[in-house]
Amino acid sequence: MNAAVMTTDTMPAKRPWRDNALFQGWLVLLLAVVFGALLAGVQTALGPTIAANKRNETLSQVPALLAPASGAAATAKLEIDTRMLPVSRGGRTAVYRVHRARRDGQLAGWVVQTAGQGYADRIEVLVGLSPEADVITGLFVLDQKETPGLGAKIATAPWRRQFVGKPAAAPLEVVKGGGAGANQIDAITGATISSRAVVAIVNRALADVSSQLAADAGKAAP
Amino acid sequence: MGWFGPHGGGGGTFARGIHPPANKHFSTGCAIEVVPCPERVVLPLQQNVGGPCTPVVKPRQKVAWGELVGRGEAFVSSALHAPVAGTVERPAMTTLPNGRHMPAIAIRTEDPGLTGQDLWEAVFGGPWSNDCIGSYEPQQIHEAILEAGIVGLGGAAFPTHVKINPNTQKPIHTLVVNGCECEPYLTADDQLMRQAPDAIIAGAFLAGYAVGARRVVIGVEDNKPEAVESLRRAVGRTGIEVAVLKTKYPQGSEKHLIKAVLGREVPLGGLPADVGVAIGNVGTMAAVARAVVRNRPLTHRVICVTGAGVARPKNLMVPIGISIGEIIDYCGGLTAEAARIVAGGPMMGFAVADRATPVTKGTSGITVLTAKDIETSAAGPCVRCGRCVEVCPMGLVPTKLAQAARTGDLRLARRHNILACFECGACAYSCPARIPLVQWIRVGKTQVARSQGR
Amino acid sequence: MIIWVTIGLSAAAMGTLAVFFTSVLGWANRAFHVPVDPRIEACAEALPGANCGGCGFVGCREYAAAVVCDAEPVDRCVVGGQSCTEALAAIMGVDPTPSLPYRPVVHCGAHTADRLLRAPYHGEPTCAAANLVTGVQGCTYGCLGFGDCQRACPFDAIHVIDGLATVDYTRCVGCGACARACPRNIITMAPFKAERILAVACSNKDSGKDVRRVCEVGCIGCKACQRACSLFTVQDNLPSIDYDAYCPDDLGDAIRAMEKCPRHCIVAVGKPSAKDLAALGDEQLPDVVAPDFKTTVDDTEWRG
Amino acid sequence: MSTPSAAQRFVRGILPENPVYRQMLGLCATLAVTNNLKSAVTMGAAVLFVLVCANLMVSLIRHWLTPHLRIVIFTLTIATFVTVADRLLAAFLYPMSKALGPYIPLIIVNCIIICRCEVCAAKQGPLTAVADALGQSLGFALALVSLAAVREILGTGMWFGFRVLPAAWPDWVIMVLPPGAFLTFGLLLGLANWISARRGGKEEA
Amino acid sequence: MTYFVDILLIALGAALINNFVFYYFVGICPFIGVSRRVEMAFGMGCAVTFVMTIAAAISWTMTRFVLMPGAPLTRWAAGLWLDPQAAAGVDLSILSYIVYIFAIAASVQFVEMYLRRFLPLLYRSFGVFLPLITTNCAILFACLTIMSRLVGVDDPAARWDLAQALALALFGGVGFTLAIVIMAGIREELEACDVPAPFRGVPIALVVGGILAMAFMGFTGVDNGLKTALTPPAAIVAQAPQADSGNGASTP
Amino acid sequence: MKTSGMKNKDNDKTAAANAGFGPALTEVASSPHLVESGRTTRRMMIDVLLALVPVAGAAVYFFRWPAVRQMAICLAACLAAEALFALMRRHRPPLADGSAAVTALILALSLPVTAPWYTAVIGSVAAIGVGKALFGGLGMNLFNPAMVGRAFVMISFAGALGAAGYQDPGSSIDVMTQATPLTAFQQSGVSAGLADLFLGRTNGSLGETSALACLIGGLFLCIRRSAAWRIPAAMLAAAGIIALLDTGLGVEGWTAAHHLFSGAMLFGAFFIATDPVSSPLTPLGQIIYGAGIGALVMVIRLFSGYPEGVMFAVLLMNALTPLINRWTIPTPFGGQ
């Protein structure tokens, strides 16, 4: 918008150092440096808070995704640590983020974070697993952009609750109406694709990580 | 140029176009009558495409029958002759049906000269010996046409000497004679072909010879079997072909006639000469014969007075310059239902409200339509049904042209080749929304012309 | 430590970036320099930006470019008026020539009842369309009354009243849209040297007999005005007023001519503001009435 | 042409020169974040913050602006404050920050801000610039809220996430989707034009 | 094979399925403002596509090598003062917005000056739109999208490379051009329509935009279906899951 | 000074009176002076309504009273909306031109029979209001109004009208207990019998189930030339070719014929795509437009999440219509 002005801004050629672009732009340079420093300061001040926000978004869901603890353990505080779990499969390496929850040092369960293509866009889910990684203990949809009123129902509690208690070993399957079987999930009416997408994401994640987690659990147990 | 069979490769028709009800029954059986000489004729100084002619007579001057009263000075203009003998009146203004407002020479008749059958014999009557025709030089024929002030009698009135010109840069191999008369109602050419085929053939032969054509084809639509029959009989040994074409409007457009007869397309913005063709109406051909053989100027023409709005439809031979009102009176006047008087055919003619409007060289008929014929329902919105595109013989998109004119969007108009439209009216005829497409396109053309003029 | 390094690196990165882009752009500014007259910008800013087309250019910007490059007069903007002219003159360093207010004059005086030989017209109700059909009314010169000018006016200053286009001079700014819209060219832009000026309210060039046949009020070319006052010249049966010689303070003869006219074709029109009274100049007279009546069918090669 | 005072600037921004309904500026954000009132209000606040800071900053340094680097400096300033706003939101209103996603950084290219810097801040003092910024951003927020109010209640039967319409209300899902944004804004804009035309007509009459 | 399918899907997604204008609401200002004539709209679209591609290349490079946490250049620079572990943690991503807009503004200005000087014909056809592009959100949005596919993606294999970034920008631009040209075609047609007075101009354009957005919703999920159709069944199993994004800060 | 010339009445009036053709003046107009009688916009709309009779009949036959109710609601709502919007602009309500009725019927026939009453009403108002009145009424609507209305409610009330909305297991009407053929095929690979598809013994939107009825009505329209035959021909050809490429020449299961006879393919081809206002004018344009719709329908059917895509395909090609018109300006006679 200022191009015409800019290119026509004819300057007297008497003082060469004044014509220097850098001299002309002293304000830009000054502001750039000051703003750069300012922003770094902001980052330093707020960065930890933001990082904590992001972490909490996930971690705050973890307790609800684990099998309810009984007795004294119920009051115990959860310790959650997060690590990246590389899984090699078919020549390519996938990396899962896995949260390990412990109560009083006892392994309370795993929460696997995974994502995949949904109907409209990516769906990000958290899958809770029992300590032995053989039973699903919960499911939470972190992020989705499915059709409101239809596919978006994957985020509702009643539908997610179906996953609780399903075995992690056999792949889950989607059925319409009913869904009584041990590894069957009832599709949302009118949103079969979204339902299938979630189940596929869960299936793949479980197939990838459950054996490793079980092994880890075995190692950790003794 | 080879021999392409009876239709010379054109298939006898062209793409698109319409089939309006012919309604030729009003006057199709009426033999041509000769109108009695009027008391006064008004000769507009410009009856043709091109420049006006310059009057060579003064008020109160006496003129004889067939005397030159106006000289065509520009290349594209033609001479004017007195159709009656009489006295020239004070200069007057007249408005032609096509909207042109111009000075005219008015002549008060004093001596009717030839009348009735005598006049017919002088103008069209035989014999027209085909044998002596070869004795005329092309240049001689051209000059005779020029002097006789002959213009195209089909309607557009383009000076014939420009078309039938041996000196043209482009070689002409075929002369196509237009006997289609595709306009509904009109039967003037039909009757002329039936009653004076010899004059037409003689004229066609002369004109063909003058332009150096190796082939002369007369195109007639298949709804005029008598005319075809009569022409075929008259052709004799001249080698002139009669091509019978499928009836369709607007077959009489020169470009479409050439397509139908020869199968060749005149380039956009080009002339028939670009494809080596010259073209002329049957009436024009008869006038050529008269001018060359009998040295008679164009003073009379055949017109058709027809339609349900006129009491007694007729085909008439009238002097040029007679008023439309007089002709209608001669045909018994208007009926009670008459609603619109059209100079020319109903598709391309111009509505006339003034009975003093003179008949010009280009007036091929007077059609009086009734309220029932003309549907005057108001125009509705265009629903883009595409009928106009389907019927446009020029392959244009009329509704877009109309839209361009309405919104004054000249770029759109040019992109859609508005100047290619020759206003045949097929689009407006078929428009279910009754949009006056032709009128809009004319508005658009004037806009384009104006912008080019600047 | 890491904090300071981050801050330092940010500042350094930004600094580097800024140096890079400023020097590149500074170099480009010089290397790719194309001289453009800054006065165009200035002129465009001074113009009102209404893009009304009253100056005869497509938009204000085009006019600005024309003022600078083609030395177009600076007084063409009718919307911006005097202040705009002065601003442009200041930019261009020229004397602001006082601009004479040009206002439209309708050269027709016939109302519906005065027009003879009218036929019912069926078709598009616009002048441009009706002008291509004969016989809408007998007079081929006069106002058709379908209001193309009314639709073209951006200032709601011209209306068809009883079949005749009538200018509302209190609203008119003289943009000329109506004159351009009229297919019969009966609206011309006349120099208003006074609040009211005399004008000829007819465009018919035919002889008196022909005029009487089509109009109750049209000029019959009797030359009474020409005899009464030297301002009037009758040519082609129609008087015209020599506006160069027209002096609003000395109209004795002209008013006599006006009263002499048997058809009352000479009328006083207009109501420009008082400040324009002083503004006189040697403006060239616009062409008075050149009816352009011609259908496109004239160029058609075939019919029927 | 007289320069408007601070108070004039403030008042003008809200309705007479409303950036959205009148100047057609900042349409991307207007359409994108108005599927519920919460986002709309947050967006309005973010724009307010950025606009006030940027206008103030530009107004303070206006004497040192060179013509050919003016826009660069505006952009630099705006981008800085937008980054600050973005991080502040992420730190203290994380859910909103997530919901608004890329539309917070896109404030950088929101024409309202650069336009105000150019039109007002670069020419007038800090006080006027701030008043102008407040007026314009309130106008912007008002437009966002009006749009969001219609979209949210039709689309979900709620306002600010609280149910307003009875539960039997069939949600017009389209309203919270992109087409609903275009349609609602188009209709509201038409309505605004109609109202102002009527009022203008009355004043004239 | 899957890589090319990926690129194809990115391209298709950017151009049609998640069209910048109709799905993400970016570039609305020129979409409404410069869509009166088809030629103008096409010029604008070309200019946007061109600048968007350049800006994407710059921003990808800057992000990949300077801005993202652990970017090589930053790590090297920080390593001059810090130990390698700490140097890897230096995060300049807060500068990204500023850098992007700087890159856009500079490249727009550079391109404009270049065209004006050396290709005046081209400049006349779309150079006039270039200054408007600086404030076109579509371009910044493309940069931001590319950033989100680089910063905070845990799985290094899932990070976009330059080709993917360019595919997004190029076809995002194509999608924008498509949208604006369609809009211009419709608006040329609208000039002949009897639109109620209050709705003339921008409001009816927005309504048309709404209808277009509805129509473009028909493409939802086409990328998904195409992916299934184009990927050989074996490859689906072998495909790595898209690792999550979002929790950017910590690295293994 | 006087402002205007006084009217002077005392001149030769007899000449003027004699000049015209008697007291009942003949009128003037531009050529041509004839019009094709019997072909009016209204007549075209009536043709469409007539052509819809077999389709509506089939709908009533298969879906019983709910179908009648649906059509009645849409008709009432559309006509009321048309009248309302016309009155808002102070125009005379153009109900007699039949276009609102056509929109209403097509909308009603393109909704599932299970559609709640309010969806029909909202759809009608959106169709007439957003799809038509805002653009200036008949002839100006650049998008097919019925499809605008349908898209509006389909997206709004995806739960009630989406693929699952069609099926009503408790219904007493036989066909309504099944899923629509396309949904059934897409989700479980079950293909319906070709004869059922052809006759209409399947579930689906009211008007689309019976291929036979659509064919009868459609051919009537094409023969009456109230619809451009090129559009349905090109659309079905394009869809058929893509379907063939997809299914191969398999005789079992889902074949290209299934694709053509199922869903709204035929209903769309003959009644929706042929809406003259929103389709191109030029012959070549009509072919491109039809083929585009056919191809898009197949793309949406095969790849997207939606089982059917006629509505989206028509709207998308409507959007392209101005550009198609622009790029397919026919070569004039004698042009290069």
Side-chain angles (χ1 to χ4, degrees), chain C:
Chain C
M1 181 61 185
I2 189 166
I3 297 172
W4 296 112
V5 172
T6 309
I7 293 180
L9 276 182
S10 298
M14 289 302 298
T16 320
L17 207 63
V19 169
F20 178 71
F21 283 133
T22 11
S23 39
V24 167
L25 288 182
W27 168 76
N29 193 9
R30 212 154 305 233
F32 304 156
H33 185 256
V34 179
V36 168
D37 201 326
R39 293 179 300 175
I40 295 180
E41 289 289 323
C43 287
E45 293 230 339
L47 287 167
N51 293 324
C52 70
C55 49
F57 292 89
V58 180
C60 293
R61 229 192 150 69
E62 282 72 18
Y63 176 51
V67 165
V68 175
C69 306
D70 309 334
E72 197 68 29
V74 293
D75 59 353
R76 285 289 156 89
C77 182
V78 287
V79 176
Q82 193 62 31
S83 64
C84 178
T85 303
E86 277 162 14
L88 291 186
I91 295 165
M92 296 303 298
V94 295
D95 274 344
T97 41
S99 124
L100 204 62
Y102 274 87
R103 295 287 182 268
V105 170
V106 181
H107 295 280
C108 180
H111 293 85
T112 310
D114 304 326
R115 305 173 186 284
L116 306 176
L117 282 182
R118 278 179 82 86
Y121 162 65
H122 178 70
E124 282 304 321
T126 65
C127 305
N131 188 31
L132 301 176
V133 172
T134 341
V136 175
Q137 64 188 26
C139 179
T140 51
Y141 301 88
C143 179
L144 283 161
F146 290 103
D148 281 10
C149 46
Q150 186 174 333
R151 280 184 288 275
C153 180
F155 303 96
D156 193 28
I158 188 164
H159 302 93
V160 173
I161 298 169
D162 189 18
L164 178 64
T166 312
V167 182
D168 177 353
Y169 289 98
T170 55
R171 289 188 177 183
C172 180
V173 302
C175 72
C178 49
R180 285 192 296 273
C182 181
R184 292 193 156 184
N185 295 337
I186 61 163
I187 306 179
T188 60
M189 302 303 290
F192 270 60
K193 296 185 173 179
E195 218 172 76
R196 311 185 69 80
I197 60 163
L198 294 180
V200 180
C202 186
S203 304
N204 198 320
K205 291 180 173 173
D206 294 353
S207 65
K209 186 173 146 241
D210 287 329
V211 173
R212 278 182 214 268
R213 188 167 169 263
V214 296
C215 187
E216 301 268 22
V217 297
C219 168
I220 50 172
C222 66
K223 301 195 178 174
C225 48
Q226 186 175 331
R227 284 191 294 273
C229 175
S230 61
L231 274 179
F232 296 92
T233 328
V234 175
Q235 200 178 10
D236 289 342
N237 297 318
L238 189 67
S240 61
I241 300 176
D242 181 2
Y243 284 109
D244 287 339
Y246 185 96
C247 176
D249 301 326
D250 180 23
L251 285 176
D253 284 352
I255 286 169
R256 265 192 296 287
M258 179 175 150
E259 283 157 0
K260 278 254 169 71
C261 178
R263 305 278 279 186
H264 301 277
C265 278
I266 295 160
V267 294
V269 293
K271 187 210 162 285
S273 63
K275 72 169 182 201
D276 295 320
L277 283 167
L280 299 174
D282 50 344
E283 299 301 311
Q284 75 179 80
L285 187 72
D287 297 338
V288 180
V289 195
D292 176 25
F293 192 78
K294 181 167 175 278
T295 71
T296 56
V297 197
D298 296 346
D299 306 325
T300 310
E301 277 154 42
W302 170 84
R303 186 149 38 79

Side-chain angles (χ1 to χ4, degrees), chain E residues 28 39 42 68 83 96 114 139 148 159 178 182 211 225 230:
Chain E
I28 301 285
E39 291 84 5
F42 188 71
M68 62 185 287
D83 58 295
S96 32
Y114 183 84
I139 294 169
S148 76
R159 281 179 199 153
L178 187 73
I182 287 180
I211 297 174
L230 290 177

Side-chain angles (χ1 to χ4, degrees), chain F residues 248-284:
Chain F
L249 290 168
V251 208
E252 297 294 312
W254 199 260
T255 62
H258 282 82
H259 265 302
L260 293 186
F261 290 149
S262 66
M265 186 69 89
L266 285 172
F267 184 66
F270 287 114
F271 296 101
I272 301 173
T274 53
D275 169 31
V277 185
S278 53
S279 58
L281 282 163
T282 59
L284 178 63

Side-chain angles (χ1 to χ4, degrees), chain A residues 159-183:
Chain A
W159 190 76
R160 289 189 284 118
R161 219 173 283 135
Q162 292 186 70
F163 285 83
V164 178
K166 297 284 195 256
L172 300 172
E173 82 178 302
V174 179
V175 294
K176 293 183 69 185
N183 57 351

